[in-house]
Amino acid sequence: MDSPAPAHTVAIVALVLGTVMVVAIPAATVYLSDWARLYGAVLVYLAFVEYLAVAVGLVRWGAAQLRS
């Protein structure tokens, strides 16, 4: 049976994924007003805030795991 991945490997993956998500945010802000017009402002902006929270959370968690 395979053993689970070491904690630092998971932390590195989380840190890289979170960083990529944060870097992609400026590219998406160009389209926010169009998406808000098409799908509803509340839905789009809440989804954007949730996406941002997940991205920042991944970066913070990954960095905290690597420091400990």
Side-chain angles (χ1 to χ4, degrees):
M1 184 168 227
D2 293 333
S3 61
H8 70 277
T9 303
V10 177
I12 290 171
V13 170
L15 188 61
V16 169
L17 181 62
T19 303
V20 168
M21 289 174 71
V22 168
V23 169
I25 288 172
T29 56
V30 176
Y31 301 107
L32 276 180
S33 61
D34 293 335
W35 292 335
R37 187 173 26 81
L38 291 172
Y39 304 113
V42 174
L43 176 67
V44 169
Y45 291 119
L46 282 176
F48 187 72
V49 168
E50 184 176 350
Y51 177 88
L52 180 61
V54 168
V56 171
L58 280 171
V59 171
R60 289 183 65 202
W61 182 84
Q65 292 300 314
L66 289 176
R67 274 186 278 167
S68 63

